[in-house]
Amino acid sequence: MAMLSSPLTFISSVPVVTRLFTAATVVGSLFYAWLKWQGVESTPYLTLIPGSSVFYPWTFVTSAVVETSIPEFIGTLIFVPASLRYLERLWGSIETIKFIVAVVGFSNIIGFGFNWIEFIATRNADMFLYGMEYHGQMSLQIAILVAFTQLIPEHQVQLMGVIKTRVKNLPMAYLTLSTVMTFLGFQCPWIIIQFGWFVGWIYLRFYKKNPSETVGGTDTYGDRSETFSLISWFPPFVHTPLSMLGNFVFHLANRFHLIPASHGDLESGTYSQVPGSARAEAERRRAMALKALDQRLANNASPGPSSATPNGAATQSPRPPPTAAAPRPDAPAMPSAAVPATNHATKKSVGEVDVGESVNSDSR
């Protein structure tokens, strides 16, 4: 009885969305395997087949719970449930459902459209319309890695007990594998990783609701920080063209109100007219404070009898020690003692630097 209670306790501790999604993956994959064992050739009602899925629109989402091979099934069960459990406890059930549906659904829509473009260009329906079936959770896996890059980018992981790397390097490694496999001719399902990475980043950048960062009673959306920008995924030599293209698309999307407004100041609790989320504004203020702190430390460390403060005023020179009163003629002579000179300069030590004053002086 104790052996049975331990697995049941573990299952009950798993958040509800993760539990149901994992169960659906097991049931859907086993049902697909049973149909193949029965000799059923085509399953357009389970997997996404570009030439048939117009008549089965639910497969744009439900195809994610169908893994067609044993390695894919095992890999999914190892990685996805544990990752979704972490994200669901952090985001909540509703945001986790929205994340899954958005990533899987839009990735499959892009793959569906891409195959139709290939068919129009080549007129090869057997290959591009009926020869490929999109399935599984590869798009969700890369989107989860993008979410981890946003949340814990510097966390170090060990792969297969040999390779050590940081979380922020995993999405591009998976993306590189997808690119290689696609060029080798395995377009389906490897190309869906490309679409999942882009859709996942767009959703987390602009559309994910941040209930913990409510400003003035208004919810904020996305993560507009520089560390999560599009160019942060690429080497420096492509930053300029990507910035120009990204800014153009961003302003166009804003003009047509395709991106939810996310203005505000997380620290002051007021609205600002500068585009960006509360998190981006807080990051900008932290950068200003660190810059001012570095300037204050540099000024304190510079030699010289007087140095300029961040406000532009010179520090006071040390005051001379007070002179002793002259003794009366009838008083006995006292032995003279040298009074040590003390420095009364009002400099602050490194530990006494006031970051708040630095921010104010820098802002002025």
Side-chain angles (χ1 to χ4, degrees):
M1 190 68 179
M3 295 178 63
L4 291 176
S5 62
S6 181
L8 292 177
T9 303
F10 174 76
I11 293 174
S12 62
S13 66
V14 176
V16 60
V17 173
T18 302
R19 193 189 319 160
L20 293 178
F21 188 73
T22 303
T25 301
V26 173
V27 172
S29 301
L30 293 179
F31 182 60
Y32 178 87
W34 181 78
L35 290 177
K36 290 300 181 183
W37 185 66
Q38 293 293 325
V40 178
E41 294 294 333
S42 179
T43 55
Y45 43 84
L46 290 179
T47 57
L48 178 64
I49 301 176
S52 306
S53 293
V54 177
F55 307 103
Y56 307 97
W58 59 84
T59 57
F60 284 93
V61 175
T62 58
S63 62
V65 300
V66 178
E67 295 289 0
T68 61
S69 67
I70 294 178
E72 292 177 352
F73 179 71
I74 295 176
T76 295
L77 289 186
I78 291 175
F79 175 73
V80 174
S83 302
L84 285 182
R85 180 186 180 189
Y86 175 84
L87 294 178
E88 186 174 357
R89 287 179 173 177
L90 190 65
W91 293 347
S93 300
I94 301 300
E95 290 301 319
T96 304
I97 294 175
K98 290 162 61 177
F99 177 73
I100 295 173
V101 172
V103 169
V104 173
F106 283 100
S107 298
N108 284 335
I109 290 174
I110 296 174
F112 174 85
F114 187 77
N115 273 54
W116 271 94
I117 293 175
E118 289 178 316
F119 163 70
I120 294 173
T122 62
R123 296 295 175 182
N124 190 345
D126 292 336
M127 176 179 290
F128 296 111
L129 293 187
Y130 301 100
M132 298 183 184
E133 56 177 7
Y134 292 101
H135 60 275
Q137 301 174 20
M138 285 187 173
S139 59
L140 182 60
Q141 292 168 7
I142 187 70
I144 289 174
L145 291 178
V146 173
F148 284 160
T149 302
Q150 179 195 29
L151 298 171
I152 48 173
E154 301 299 330
H155 183 75
Q156 193 174 48
V157 296
Q158 190 170 4
L159 304 178
M160 297 177 290
V162 178
I163 304 174
K164 291 183 178 181
T165 185
R166 299 190 183 277
V167 170
K168 63 182 180 182
N169 299 326
L170 295 179
M172 297 312 291
Y174 200 21
L175 205 62
T176 302
L177 176 63
S178 165
T179 303
V180 172
M181 297 300 292
T182 301
F183 279 122
L184 290 178
F186 301 96
Q187 174 178 325
C188 181
W190 289 95
I191 199 172
I192 206 72
I193 296 175
Q194 313 274 340
F195 308 141
W197 167 77
F198 191 58
V199 171
W201 175 80
I202 289 179
Y203 180 80
L204 294 174
R205 177 73 169 175
F206 300 108
Y207 294 99
K208 181 188 170 297
K209 187 178 180 181
N210 303 315
S212 62
E213 295 182 1
T214 302
V215 177
T218 303
D219 293 322
T220 61
Y221 294 88
D223 180 0
R224 309 289 177 87
S225 62
E226 291 298 325
T227 56
F228 197 60
S229 62
L230 180 63
I231 62 175
S232 66
W233 299 92
F234 297 94
F237 67 89
V238 296
H239 284 185
T240 300
L242 281 178
S243 296
M244 296 174 60
L245 178 62
N247 290 335
F248 172 76
V249 175
F250 177 76
H251 291 304
L252 195 64
N254 269 335
R255 178 177 298 180
F256 290 97
H257 304 286
L258 299 178
I259 298 177
S262 184
H263 307 298
D265 191 330
L266 182 62
E267 296 178 351
S268 64
T270 58
Y271 288 99
S272 64
Q273 298 302 320
V274 181
S277 69
R279 181 177 298 178
E281 178 65 15
E283 180 179 330
R284 182 184 68 84
R285 287 183 172 271
R286 284 194 298 269
M288 290 173 57
L290 290 175
K291 181 179 178 181
L293 179 59
D294 291 339
Q295 291 178 353
R296 176 68 66 86
L297 294 177
N299 290 336
N300 287 342
S302 62
S306 63
S307 58
T309 63
N311 291 328
T315 57
Q316 290 182 348
S317 59
R319 293 180 296 177
T323 58
R328 294 183 298 174
D330 55 349
M334 297 294 293
S336 60
V339 179
T342 57
N343 189 353
H344 296 277
T346 57
K347 291 183 180 179
K348 292 184 179 181
S349 63
V350 175
E352 294 175 340
V353 176
D354 189 351
V355 178
E357 293 179 358
S358 301
V359 174
N360 293 333
S361 61
D362 187 72
S363 63
R364 286 198 294 267

